[in-house]
Amino acid sequence: RNELIKLVHQYVEEAKVSIRNIRRDSNDQLKKFEKDKELSEDNLKRALENIQETTDEYIKKLVEIQELKEKDILL
């Protein structure tokens, strides 16, 4: 059971890294748009905040799923 829990942790950590990579790529693209004058500074700030909120939301969901799976495994 402990091995299964370790596996769950590993999968969740990989998913978190993937989400963070997507956030980084999105932020880089938005900053490029702002640099090319396709996006205003205010809109850039708003978009970056939205991306961060979405990132936090999905990481929170991953943690909740992880906790549920751990409980299932331990039962």
Side-chain angles (χ1 to χ4, degrees), residues 19-31:
I19 290 171
R20 290 181 190 125
N21 286 339
I22 293 168
R23 176 190 61 194
R24 186 195 66 231
D25 293 343
S26 299
N27 288 349
D28 289 347
Q29 188 67 37
L30 286 170
K31 288 174 186 175

Side-chain angles (χ1 to χ4, degrees), residues 31-68:
K31 288 174 186 175
K32 182 180 180 291
F33 287 151
E34 196 258 343
K35 183 180 176 186
D36 295 341
K37 307 290 185 203
E38 295 177 30
L39 190 64
S40 72
E41 189 175 331
D42 289 340
N43 286 336
L44 172 67
K45 184 177 177 185
R46 227 173 290 133
L48 293 175
E49 288 173 0
N50 287 339
I51 290 171
Q52 184 60 48
E53 288 173 6
T54 304
T55 301
D56 293 342
E57 176 186 336
Y58 280 95
I59 287 179
K60 181 181 175 188
K61 287 180 182 183
L62 281 172
V63 170
E64 291 172 359
I65 291 169
Q66 176 183 347
E67 291 170 354
L68 286 173

